[in-house]
């Protein structure tokens, strides 16, 4: 019995230590971001005397709800038409293709190139690589189907390539449907922390940052020099980013250039996105961690690369710590565990304070009112943290698949464009009909932690009560919203 209890202590301590070390990296990024806010903004480079040739790539696969909006938006880009090529990389096998061909007839004055591959090998990365071989542009701008870039996008980004070492320029995502629901508000909170604190902090440190898959511009020579698009991971953007920076190319992040996009409005769509991001992150870690650690980049950059590539692994740590905490409560109630273990564990919880500050900072940028900032954070952050914990099983399984090398298809995130549609999201034809088995496990875990919390109250043991209540809330919410978000036949 004591062996099992000791094992649970070691698992819990190891998981919490991993989270603490990750949070220290976050604390450093927060410090660097605060410094950025206090500094004078760097001057915007002047426009080039002659605008270079740019190819805009639009990878599309079954996007009937948003593709027309995408084409309208890109057609409105303010850039010399003779220097602009727009590739519509269409892999669709539904009515999206007909919609595209019909829409393109409205823009005879623009250089739209409608491109269909013989097959969909390599998914998005394969489409981008195929288009790159045909691209005339010296620079390659990429937009996913749900993005709505401003007309000034190219004129705001291309001047930064005056520095010949600059290989990629990334802009900040904003959210078309931030206020659609509680779920979209929570996603916005998470993404804002990445696009403000993390990306700005890493870029200011000259550490590795990543192209976010869309709303960015590449120097074509950088892509080719780094080995072109590859599709051995689900995050081809993160993979190419590390290969390019390891080759010595600089990346520039522009937090003041906003690129609006759609947030997944339902849990099943969010989960498909989360699975791809977390598994792909783990695959990229397997692919690049050893190379980064052996490289000649500064130690500080290596530490942040370690935290960056392993950030999806936090879900594994959360899952292990939460499961290990259940027998630890039983051991404490029965006097089998010295209380000093819990005292040490409390210091580990400092990591959550640090991470809370990161999200508070991102949330604070959305309003000028101090009272509004605090109230918004008090309302949404505990719920965000609970739902994040409730996604731990789903995302941890994705990470474990990535670590193990198990391959899976690139599953696109369904798009909705709810603001422009007259029918409800339940009718979206891209939603899955089948409820995954893991959804039922999430419901069982929610009941487990709710039962443990009730038992702890009955026994007067409160060491893990808050954690277990948040876990119960998170898993039950994820279960409920997952179950009701799958399309009914």
């Amino acid at each position: 019995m004591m062996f099992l209890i000791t094992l649970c202590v070691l698992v819990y301590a190891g998981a919490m230590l991993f989270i603490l070390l990750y949070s220290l990296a976050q604390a450093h990024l927060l410090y660097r971001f605060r410094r950025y806010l206090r500094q004078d903004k760097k001057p915007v480079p002047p426009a080039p005397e002659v605008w270079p040739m740019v190819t805009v790539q639009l990878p599309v696969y079954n996007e009937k709800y948003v593709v027309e909006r995408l084409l309208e938006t890109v057609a409105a880009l303010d850039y010399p038409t003779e220097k602009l090529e727009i590739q519509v990389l269409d892999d669709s096998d539904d009515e999206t293709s007909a919609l595209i061909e019909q829409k393109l007839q409205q823009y005879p004055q623009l250089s739209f190139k409608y491109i269909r591959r013989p097959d969909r090998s390599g998914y998005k990365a394969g489409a981008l690589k195929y288009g790159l071989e045909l691209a005339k542009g010296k620079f390659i701008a990429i937009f996913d189907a749900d993005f709505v870039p401003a007309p000034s996008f190219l004129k705001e980004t291309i001047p930064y390539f005056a520095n010949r070492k600059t290989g990629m320029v990334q802009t900040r995502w904003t959210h078309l449907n931030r206020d659609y629901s509680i779920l979209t508000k929570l996603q916005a909170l998470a993404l804002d922390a990445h696009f403000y604190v993390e990306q700005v902090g890493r870029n200011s440190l000259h550490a590795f940052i990543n192209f976010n898959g869309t709303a960015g511009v590449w120097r074509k020579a950088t892509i080719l020099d780094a080995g072109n698009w590859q599709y051995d991971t689900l995050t081809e953007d993160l993979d190419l980013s590390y290969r390019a920076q390891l080759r010595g190319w600089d990346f520039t992040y522009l937090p003041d250039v906003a690129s609006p996009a759609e947030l997944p409005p339902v849990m099943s769509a969010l989960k498909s996105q989360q699975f791809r991001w977390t598994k792909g992150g783990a695959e990229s870690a397997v692919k690049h961690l050893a190379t980064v650690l052996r490289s000649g980049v500064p130690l500080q950059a290596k530490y942040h690369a370690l935290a960056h590539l392993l950030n999806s692994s936090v879900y594994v740590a959360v899952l292990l710590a939460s499961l290990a905490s259940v027998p630890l409560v039983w051991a404490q109630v029965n006097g089998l565990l010295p209380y000093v273990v819990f005292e040490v564990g409390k210091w580990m919880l400092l990591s959550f304070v640090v991470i809370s500050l990161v999200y508070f900072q991102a949330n604070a940028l959305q309003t000028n009112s101090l009272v509004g900032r605090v109230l918004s954070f008090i309302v949404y952050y505990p719920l965000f943290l609970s739902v994040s914990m409730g996604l731990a099983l789903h995302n941890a399984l994705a990470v474990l698949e990535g670590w193990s090398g198990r391959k899976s298809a690139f599953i696109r995130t369904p798009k909705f464009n709810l603001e422009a549609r007259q029918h409800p999201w339940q009718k979206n034809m891209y939603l899955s009909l089948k409820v995954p088995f893991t959804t039922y496990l999430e419901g069982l875990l929610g009941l487990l932690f709710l039962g443990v919390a009730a038992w702890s109250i009955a026994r007067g043991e409160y060491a893990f009560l808050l954690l277990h209540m948040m876990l119960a809330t998170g898993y039950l919410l994820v279960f409920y919203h997952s179950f009701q978000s799958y399309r009914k036949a």
Side-chain angles (χ1 to χ4, degrees):
M1 179 61 69
M2 286 307 300
F3 170 77
L4 293 176
I5 293 173
T6 302
L7 180 62
C8 289
V9 169
L10 292 176
V11 169
Y12 180 80
M16 294 301 293
L17 179 60
F18 178 84
I19 296 172
L20 178 62
L21 293 174
Y22 172 76
S23 73
L24 293 178
Q26 294 294 96
H28 190 213
L29 295 179
L30 178 60
Y31 165 72
R32 294 294 303 196
F33 179 72
R34 294 293 303 175
R35 277 187 55 180
Y36 164 83
L37 292 178
R38 294 193 297 268
Q39 294 171 350
D40 293 331
K41 296 293 192 297
K42 294 181 180 180
V44 177
E49 294 183 7
V50 179
W51 289 101
M53 187 72 185
V54 174
T55 296
V56 176
Q57 291 188 320
L58 309 175
V60 174
Y61 175 67
N62 294 354
E63 302 286 5
K64 61 174 286 187
Y65 301 116
V66 295
V67 71
E68 292 176 291
R69 182 183 66 186
L70 171 69
L71 297 176
E72 290 170 2
T73 303
V74 173
L77 287 172
D78 178 19
Y79 203 76
T81 55
E82 71 278 7
K83 295 296 182 71
L84 182 62
E85 175 189 50
I86 305 170
Q87 292 183 341
V88 184
L89 305 171
D90 182 25
D91 284 347
S92 302
D93 54 18
D94 70 355
E95 62 190 280
T96 301
S97 299
L99 291 172
I100 293 172
E101 294 187 85
Q102 183 179 5
K103 192 70 177 179
L104 291 185
Q105 294 176 15
Q106 300 179 18
Y107 307 106
Q109 76 281 12
L110 295 177
S111 181
F112 271 101
K113 302 294 174 62
Y114 180 63
I115 299 172
R116 287 188 64 85
R117 298 188 288 159
D119 58 72
R120 199 180 165 227
S121 60
Y123 305 106
K124 178 182 175 181
L128 294 173
K129 184 177 181 180
Y130 189 88
L132 192 69
E133 296 173 358
L134 307 173
K136 298 177 181 178
K138 183 179 180 181
F139 301 100
I140 311 295
I142 300 171
F143 297 107
D144 282 349
D146 57 320
F147 274 73
V148 186
S152 60
F153 178 90
L154 292 176
K155 287 190 173 179
E156 290 184 283
T157 54
I158 293 298
Y160 287 88
F161 288 99
N163 180 349
R164 294 184 179 275
K165 290 187 64 180
T166 298
M168 192 278 297
V169 174
Q170 175 68 52
T171 64
R172 176 174 59 88
W173 295 7
T174 56
H175 319 295
L176 292 169
N177 58 339
R178 170 191 291 270
D179 296 325
Y180 177 78
S181 67
I182 293 293
L183 183 61
T184 56
K185 289 180 179 179
L186 298 183
Q187 290 176 75
L189 178 62
L191 287 172
D192 287 344
H194 170 68
F195 281 100
Y196 277 121
V197 178
E198 293 181 348
Q199 288 285 63
V200 170
R202 291 188 186 113
N203 206 209
S204 70
L205 289 165
H206 303 288
F208 292 87
I209 69 168
N210 60 297
F211 169 57
N212 292 108
T214 177
V217 184
W218 283 88
R219 190 187 297 271
K220 182 177 180 180
T222 302
I223 299 175
L224 297 175
D225 180 63
N228 214 321
W229 295 103
Q230 298 174 9
Y231 32 89
D232 52 349
T233 75
L234 291 179
T235 46
E236 71 292 324
D237 44 8
L238 179 61
D239 169 39
L240 180 59
S241 297
Y242 268 79
R243 284 188 279 119
Q245 288 168 104
L246 285 167
R247 292 284 295 171
W249 291 97
D250 292 337
F251 283 10
T252 297
Y253 180 63
L254 304 179
D256 296 326
V257 179
S259 295
E262 178 183 293
L263 295 164
V266 297
M267 185 62 74
S268 59
L270 172 62
K271 278 184 165 182
S272 69
Q273 184 185 73
Q274 288 282 307
F275 186 90
R276 190 174 69 249
W277 287 356
T278 51
K279 180 176 180 177
E283 290 174 327
S284 294
V286 171
K287 185 173 181 178
H288 294 297
L289 260 182
T291 304
V292 170
L293 295 176
R294 289 195 301 264
S295 71
V297 302
L299 183 62
Q300 179 176 253
K302 290 181 180 180
Y303 176 57
H304 279 287
L306 194 69
H308 188 195
L309 288 169
L310 293 178
N311 62 2
S312 62
S313 302
V314 169
Y315 287 105
V316 177
V318 169
L319 180 63
L320 290 175
S322 62
L323 293 175
S325 70
V326 174
L328 292 184
V329 172
W330 178 86
Q332 176 61 22
V333 167
N334 289 277
L336 300 176
L337 202 64
Y339 204 80
V340 66
V341 172
F342 294 91
E343 291 298 320
V344 173
K346 289 177 183 178
W347 288 102
M348 297 283 193
L349 294 177
L350 283 174
S351 58
F352 291 100
V353 175
V354 171
I355 294 172
S356 299
L357 291 173
V358 169
Y359 286 103
F360 178 77
Q361 176 65 78
N363 182 72
L365 295 169
Q366 304 305 319
T367 175
N368 294 323
S369 165
L370 177 60
V371 174
R373 298 175 193 173
V374 174
L375 289 178
S376 177
F377 191 73
I378 290 174
V379 170
Y380 290 114
Y381 183 69
L383 188 58
F384 163 77
L385 199 57
S386 295
V387 172
S388 297
M389 291 178 178
L391 285 167
L393 174 65
H394 175 270
N395 288 349
L397 292 175
V399 172
L400 293 174
E401 281 195 17
W403 285 352
S404 68
R406 180 181 175 185
K407 297 302 178 183
S408 59
F410 184 104
I411 306 299
R412 59 178 288 282
T413 304
K415 312 300 190 307
F416 292 79
N417 193 12
L418 292 174
E419 293 79 5
R421 290 171 55 204
Q422 302 302 313
H423 52 280
W425 62 260
Q426 290 89 341
K427 300 297 184 181
N428 188 302
M429 64 180 293
Y430 302 127
L431 286 176
S432 174
L433 291 168
K434 183 179 179 181
V435 180
F437 177 67
T438 51
T439 295
Y440 297 101
L441 290 181
E442 288 162 347
L444 291 175
L445 283 173
L447 294 175
L448 169 66
F449 289 116
L450 184 62
V452 172
W455 185 78
S456 298
I457 294 173
R459 294 301 183 100
E461 177 53 61
Y462 305 109
F464 285 104
L465 181 60
L466 179 60
L467 173 65
H468 290 153
M469 287 300 296
M470 294 182 73
L471 285 164
T473 301
Y475 274 113
L476 291 175
L477 283 173
V478 168
F479 166 75
Y480 170 76
H481 286 286
S482 296
F483 197 83
Q484 61 91 37
S485 69
Y486 288 93
R487 181 167 61 97
K488 306 303 184 289

